[in-house]
Amino acid sequence: MPNHHAIVSWSSDSAEEFAKGRYGRAHDWVFDGGQTVRASSSPSVVRPPLSDPFGVDPEEALVAAVSSCHMLWFLDLARRAGHSVASYEDEADGTLEKCEDGKVRITRVTLRPLIGWAGDAPDASGLDALHHQAHDACFIANSITADVVVEPR
């Protein structure tokens, strides 16, 4: 099985400010294809200017990874079933909660895909089956403990 690699790069502007906890949380994610994404802690966790509201926070990235993985499997499974997908848009949400053990974690990822079909669409049970198959195949969903729920729009 292949390994997947990312470089996470951050540097301090000031040792003195770092020691006081007043350091920027913005950093870069660099991926093997050369793509660089600006990342940061969530502004809901660390307020700007110490966080970068334009950066992708790790929680958003996890939700996007679940959604993206599900979509890629769904598209392949729909194609194999003889359906033609013209568009796919997901309004995904992750629920962050403090759990009984005192740890904060994403406990639920809700996917809300809106699918445009080119040609015949599957019936409701066929669509449900495609989503279940995509969920079962998704590497990311299989890697996390959060519930992943699909609510087609």
Side-chain angles (χ1 to χ4, degrees):
M1 292 302 223
N3 287 333
H4 298 274
H5 182 76
I7 296 170
V8 177
S9 178
W10 172 89
S11 62
S12 176
D13 292 334
S14 162
E16 185 177 306
E17 293 300 304
F18 181 82
K20 294 176 185 176
R22 295 190 302 225
Y23 57 93
R25 273 44 170 210
H27 55 282
D28 292 318
W29 295 339
V30 182
F31 297 98
D32 60 1
Q35 182 70 26
T36 298
V37 175
R38 190 63 167 169
S40 180
S41 60
S42 171
S44 67
V45 176
V46 177
R47 298 199 189 285
L50 298 179
S51 66
D52 180 354
F54 297 104
V56 177
D57 63 63
E59 298 84 0
E60 291 172 318
L62 177 63
V63 172
V66 171
S67 174
S68 184
C69 187
H70 181 91
M71 178 198 68
L72 292 168
W73 277 107
F74 181 90
L75 295 174
D76 186 56
L77 292 162
R79 178 194 59 80
R80 291 180 193 204
H83 300 290
S84 182
V85 179
S87 63
Y88 186 109
E89 179 183 282
D90 189 0
E91 292 182 6
D93 284 307
T95 303
L96 195 64
E97 295 183 294
K98 188 170 189 175
C99 298
E100 289 180 15
D101 61 4
K103 294 180 181 179
V104 177
R105 63 177 57 92
I106 291 179
T107 57
R108 181 181 178 101
V109 176
T110 303
L111 307 179
R112 295 183 185 89
L114 178 61
I115 301 161
W117 300 96
D120 293 334
D123 62 18
S125 66
L127 180 62
D128 189 50
L130 287 170
H131 280 300
H132 280 290
Q133 292 169 16
H135 175 71
D136 287 343
C138 175
F139 307 144
I140 308 302
N142 288 326
S143 301
I144 62 173
T145 60
D147 293 327
V148 178
V149 178
V150 180
E151 298 175 350
R153 296 181 285 147

